[in-house]
Amino acid sequence: MKRIEDLLKESGITGGIPLDYCPVKLKEKNRVNLLALGDVGTTVLIGLRLLGADVISIIGICDIDESNMVRCEQEINQINYPFETQGLPEVKMVGEEDLFDCDVLVFCASKGVPPLGAAGDVRMAQLSANGEIIARYGRLARERDFKGLVAVVSDPVDPLCRAFLNSAKLRPSQVQGYGLGVMNARALYFAGKDRRFSHYAAEGRAFGPHGEDLVIADSLTAYDDQLSRELTALTVDANMRVRELGFKPYIAPALSSAAISILLTLRGEWHYSSLYLGNEDKGAFLGMKNRMRGSGPEYEDVPLCEELYGRIKDAYENLCEIK
């Protein structure tokens, strides 16, 4: 049986950077800034305001379209319960110069969203355009000597995390990618429709990237490779099914991968996100079950059978090759 930590050694990586040296000091209530208010960013914003009053003090929003930013400040602050004694977190506009004046930055900026009808892995098609954007903000984070947490939501999540890390020169423990939560949620959806997968909710796990190399394991204790690969295929193709209906599939990712998972991170609870495994020269952000502790991120360390470990290793090595 193998474990996640074996990935580095078997991939020829020595001197991996530990995740337990982390400058992020989350508070009881945190200042969260959100960059870009497109479909995804606006949905994430709604989720954070509605669900995050216990761990968020204020949400700053920043967008290149000032009228859209003004509109969101007005409309989102008008979402409220009628007789709530403890209000929802206030939303305020912030300029780019104040973007890193926060505890958590949520990165939702995207330039190259593929049109409906686009074939192939539409997430990877966004890498070049979005990579340039995130590198620019990485340099800004370095200039500001940012000590908080960066939550990357834009696609492709895991390579963009690496691009931000390379440009920002932060500790790897300060950057997490939020794309895997919806893959787990989609696997749960299909498991609820087919009794062959029904044990996934109690026994299964998701690993890897938010894309073609996703690994869905039907069970950690009684892994079935055929069932797992079938459930993985259904999960990976779920976004294309929505696109075939004429819609962009952003609602579930914005809430399951981003809003809910980010809030679980702030609460120190188990969730799905991507963590950096590697050294300064080679490595990748790999999605897995983890939680934020006082000393930094801690991932679930469970024994993995050879077939499952082999799939995760392939996904990790493929991610390491993406530049």
Side-chain angles (χ1 to χ4, degrees):
M1 302 286 273
K2 299 288 181 65
R3 296 178 183 270
I4 293 294
E5 63 183 17
D6 294 316
L7 291 172
L8 276 70
K9 179 177 64 177
E10 294 198 0
S11 299
I13 300 174
T14 59
I17 301 172
L19 292 170
D20 59 0
Y21 178 72
C22 182
V24 178
K25 303 300 178 188
L26 296 176
K27 306 169 184 174
E28 183 176 344
K29 292 220 174 183
N30 299 273
R31 298 167 300 161
V32 176
N33 282 350
L34 189 150
L35 175 64
L37 298 165
D39 291 335
V40 172
T42 302
T43 307
V44 173
L45 175 60
I46 293 169
L48 293 177
R49 176 167 166 87
L50 286 176
L51 303 174
D54 61 320
V55 286
I56 298 177
S57 59
I58 193 165
I59 306 172
I61 55 174
C62 183
D63 193 87
I64 59 173
D65 185 340
E66 186 174 353
S67 61
N68 187 38
M69 189 163 49
V70 172
R71 166 230 178 188
C72 283
E73 187 277 334
Q74 294 176 1
E75 289 215 89
I76 305 303
N77 280 320
Q78 292 167 19
I79 299 173
N80 228 323
Y81 294 95
F83 310 109
E84 187 71 27
T85 56
Q86 182 179 358
L88 301 179
E90 178 190 359
V91 174
K92 72 169 187 176
M93 296 182 289
V94 298
E96 190 173 277
E97 66 278 4
D98 298 317
L99 191 59
F100 288 95
D101 182 17
C102 62
D103 301 300
V104 181
L105 174 72
V106 182
F107 185 92
C108 298
S110 185
K111 183 179 180 181
V113 180
L116 292 172
D121 190 342
V122 295
R123 303 178 189 92
M124 291 307 298
Q126 298 172 261
L127 178 55
S128 178
N130 292 345
E132 294 178 6
I133 298 173
I134 204 166
R136 174 173 173 268
Y137 286 99
R139 292 188 292 271
L140 186 59
R142 181 174 56 190
E143 293 172 6
R144 298 291 190 272
D145 192 25
F146 186 58
K147 301 298 184 185
L149 177 68
V150 176
V152 177
V153 177
S154 303
D155 277 330
V157 171
D158 311 289
L160 288 182
C161 285
R162 184 64 194 271
F164 186 92
L165 184 63
N166 289 344
S167 60
K169 307 301 182 186
L170 302 181
R171 295 291 302 181
S173 53
Q174 288 181 257
V175 183
Q176 293 192 33
Y178 289 85
L180 192 57
V182 74
M183 296 313 217
N184 172 66
R186 287 168 175 164
L188 288 170
Y189 170 81
F190 290 111
K193 291 183 171 294
D194 189 330
R195 59 189 300 177
R196 294 178 303 138
F197 308 129
S198 61
H199 53 285
Y200 175 79
E203 302 174 21
R205 290 291 187 277
F207 299 92
H210 177 60
E212 295 295 339
D213 280 331
L214 173 72
V215 176
I216 295 293
D218 74 312
S219 172
L220 289 179
T221 55
Y223 177 77
D224 185 307
D225 193 59
Q226 182 175 342
L227 280 180
S228 295
R229 290 180 182 273
E230 185 176 345
L231 184 56
T232 299
L234 290 169
T235 303
V236 169
D237 290 342
N239 69 319
M240 297 306 296
R241 303 291 80 80
V242 176
R243 282 178 164 267
E244 288 170 356
L245 295 171
F247 301 95
K248 293 181 179 179
Y250 64 86
I251 298 174
L255 295 174
S256 289
S257 285
I260 291 174
S261 298
I262 290 169
L263 291 174
L264 290 173
T265 304
L266 300 185
R267 294 173 184 139
E269 298 180 19
W270 291 106
H271 65 280
Y272 281 109
S273 64
S274 300
L275 303 177
Y276 185 73
L277 300 177
N279 57 29
E280 293 182 357
D281 299 318
K282 183 179 179 181
F285 281 82
L286 183 72
M288 65 192 85
K289 181 180 176 182
N290 69 87
R291 61 182 174 179
M292 182 65 85
R293 310 290 281 174
S295 58
E298 171 194 32
Y299 59 81
E300 182 185 50
D301 188 22
V302 293
L304 306 165
C305 70
E306 287 292 339
E307 284 181 302
L308 175 55
Y309 175 80
R311 292 179 65 198
I312 298 171
K313 182 173 179 287
D314 288 343
Y316 174 71
E317 291 183 339
N318 287 342
L319 285 167
C320 285
E321 295 301 316
I322 297 175
K323 304 298 183 183

